Amino acid sequence: MNILVLNGSPRPDGNTAALVNAFAEGAVQGGHSVTIVPVCQRNIAGCLACEYCHTTGGGKCIQRDDMQEVYPLLEAAEMIVLASPIYYHSFTGQLQCAINRIYALDKPKRLKKAALIMSSGSNHVFCGAIYEYQNSFLNYLRLENMGIFSAFGRENKSPEKLEELRRFGMSLK
């Protein structure tokens, strides 16, 4: 399976990256192809709501930024994983920009599955991100939920949590 991970963490070596890397390691061991896009290290602007993509653009966004590199990955992906630290009840702004720009494609044709990976300092902040994931991704894009994973406080980077993500990646069919 071709898996695309959109990592919304601004910290290349932070908690979210550790969780993503453990997942990717397991998925590769399970025979899958994994591409991780660190959206915070890319130049991805928010949607302009100009509707170019759905009128004269034919599914192409008018903006020429790093999202142009992500679109082919989205078109090829069979599974998408959203990964983000949760600072204030939702995804990071950088990840939200990338999510909003998927609008140009409407519903990527090969995409069938999704998962969510979140990290935080508290376990009482995940609800907003889960709501958006379940409604925007699973329901609108008609994707199968493969799992929601969260780590907070001392769980972040813990051997147990990393192993949980590794096993999840390996278990994918």
Side-chain angles (χ1 to χ4, degrees), residues 10-69:
R11 297 180 183 166
D13 298 315
N15 296 324
T16 304
L19 297 171
V20 165
N21 290 337
F23 162 76
E25 181 182 304
V28 169
Q29 286 177 4
H32 305 288
S33 169
V34 180
T35 303
I36 301 169
V37 177
V39 298
C40 294
Q41 283 74 49
R42 300 291 189 269
N43 178 26
I44 299 175
C47 178
L48 298 173
C50 66
E51 287 297 324
Y52 174 82
C53 59
H54 293 270
T55 56
T56 57
K60 306 264 189 237
C61 182
I62 197 167
Q63 297 187 76
R64 297 294 170 237
D65 60 10
D66 292 342
M67 193 66 187
Q68 296 305 319
E69 299 167 14

Side-chain angles (χ1 to χ4, degrees), residues 4-9 16-17 19-20 23 36-37 39-40 80-86 91-92 95 99 115-119 149:
L4 174 63
V5 180
L6 297 180
N7 180 358
S9 177
T16 304
L19 297 171
V20 165
F23 162 76
I36 301 169
V37 177
V39 298
C40 294
I80 188 167
V81 177
L82 301 179
S84 183
I86 307 300
F91 304 125
T92 59
L95 179 58
I99 291 169
L116 177 61
I117 298 173
M118 303 171 289
S119 64
F149 300 87

Side-chain angles (χ1 to χ4, degrees), residues 1-5 18-36 78-81 113-115 117 146 149 161-173:
M1 179 167 38
N2 193 351
I3 302 169
L4 174 63
V5 180
L19 297 171
V20 165
N21 290 337
F23 162 76
E25 181 182 304
V28 169
Q29 286 177 4
H32 305 288
S33 169
V34 180
T35 303
I36 301 169
E78 298 161 275
M79 178 176 174
I80 188 167
V81 177
K113 300 176 181 187
I117 298 173
M146 301 307 291
F149 300 87
K161 189 54 76 169
L162 296 177
E163 183 58 28
E164 177 185 353
L165 270 294
R166 215 173 275 109
R167 282 193 316 267
F168 167 58
M170 286 176 44
S171 74
L172 292 171
K173 303 289 180 221

